Amino acid sequence: MVRIENVALHFDDGKTTALNGISATVEEGEFVAIVGPSGCGKSSLLNVIGTLERPTTGEVYFRCQPYSNIADASLFRRQHFGFIFQSFHLIPTLSALDNVVVATIGCPGPAREHTQRARQLLAQLGLRDRIDHFPRTMSGGERQRVAIARALINNPDLILADEPTGSLDSVSTEQVLGVISEIRQQRGISIVVVTHDPEVSGRADRVVSMRDGKIEPGKEYRQ
Ligand SMILES: Nc1ncnc2c1ncn2[C@@H]1O[C@H](COP(=O)(O)OP(=O)(O)OP(=O)(O)O)[C@@H](O)[C@H]1O
Ligand SMILES: [Mg+2]
């Protein structure tokens, strides 16, 4: 599904190296966890896969399409990817429902249908009673489930999650992981997750270790 070829990512006119020659693949339907110490380039790699960051050198392919040929990266992202972040990134002045619906702006189809789907997704994620709540009145686990609904509303092929349980207690972590497993079974979506949490990496099909902007050879394992 995703093929990364010899990707390097430098910042500050080359003074900082975030990625230092990465080659990797993600298969259709696969759940991959990326682990490694702080600053080793995990978020950078996720951002490159999600077209949020353009590699300095190298190429990434999504279903054989090279990223350098993508004309409209924001449309491409909306069509293919769902993003989940550690700090949820919800809009504080919008209700749970509107935080999900907002991701459909500019997408084809009538607004009424988008709203209907958002309601269904929130209900499926156990938030039927929280639809009209604002983020500040919700627990961390509830907020993250709203963010998951937002990531799913446009039927993505690939979920990119950066420390999705990093701000959650163990009960909320279990809930969020349960929701993620359910989604995988129902929809066959691929997932790449960056995590420090063994509870999360323990659920992945494959764990990739990074260090100093590289994938550590021989430390990758399937489970
Ligand atoms: N926008 C940026 N400008 C300059 N340097 C950056 C930028 N983004 C990341 N870096 C640097 O690139 C390196 C990799 O950062 P990255 O955020 O990918 O690490 P990480 O593995 O996600 O770390 P953490 O576990 O702390 O989130 C770090 O040295 C970081 O300081
Ligand atoms: Mg990071």
Side-chain angles (χ1 to χ4, degrees), residues 137-198:
T137 69
M138 304 176 87
S139 71
E142 288 169 343
R143 286 184 222 183
Q144 193 60 302
R145 280 180 283 151
V146 174
I148 292 172
R150 180 187 56 195
L152 291 172
I153 187 83
N154 294 322
N155 280 320
D157 302 299
L158 174 64
I159 294 277
L160 298 168
D162 198 345
E163 298 280 0
T165 61
S167 305
L168 303 182
D169 59 31
S170 58
V171 173
S172 301
T173 293
E174 267 314 305
Q175 275 180 350
V176 162
L177 288 174
V179 159
I180 289 176
S181 313
E182 213 173 285
I183 291 160
R184 281 194 73 209
Q185 277 167 8
Q186 286 170 357
R187 301 167 181 244
I189 296 179
S190 312
I191 303 176
V192 178
V193 62
V194 165
T195 188
H196 286 112
D197 185 346

Side-chain angles (χ1 to χ4, degrees), residues 11-12 16 18 37-44 196:
F11 291 109
D12 311 323
T16 306
S38 180
C40 72
K42 304 180 298 295
S43 298
S44 299
H196 286 112

Side-chain angles (χ1 to χ4, degrees), residues 17-88:
T17 297
L19 300 175
N20 192 9
I22 299 254
S23 296
T25 54
V26 180
E27 302 302 328
E28 297 280 346
E30 198 180 23
F31 178 178
V32 181
I34 302 172
V35 300
S38 180
C40 72
K42 304 180 298 295
S43 298
S44 299
L45 181 58
L46 207 68
N47 291 343
V48 165
I49 296 172
T51 73
L52 293 168
E53 205 76 73
R54 199 182 256 270
T56 314
T57 57
E59 183 62 287
V60 186
Y61 301 83
F62 183 83
R63 292 181 175 156
C64 300
Q65 179 180 1
Y67 281 18
S68 50
N69 282 1
I70 297 170
D72 183 343
S74 95
L75 176 66
F76 188 84
R77 278 198 288 279
R78 245 183 303 145
Q79 285 171 335
H80 298 294
F81 304 136
F83 293 90
I84 303 172
F85 303 96
Q86 175 174 353
S87 50
F88 323 126

Side-chain angles (χ1 to χ4, degrees), residues 75-141:
L75 176 66
F76 188 84
R77 278 198 288 279
R78 245 183 303 145
Q79 285 171 335
H80 298 294
F81 304 136
F83 293 90
I84 303 172
F85 303 96
Q86 175 174 353
S87 50
F88 323 126
H89 290 198
L90 299 179
I91 299 171
T93 52
L94 296 182
S95 67
L97 181 65
D98 288 339
N99 262 289
V100 179
V101 170
V102 83
T104 66
I105 290 173
C107 292
R112 199 163 26 83
E113 272 174 28
H114 295 318
T115 306
Q116 184 57 23
R117 256 180 61 68
R119 279 182 190 284
Q120 280 168 359
L121 266 173
L122 287 165
Q124 192 193 348
L125 299 184
L127 295 170
R128 197 185 295 279
D129 301 335
R130 295 287 183 277
I131 275 175
D132 298 319
H133 281 233
F134 288 87
R136 68 173 178 281
T137 69
M138 304 176 87
S139 71

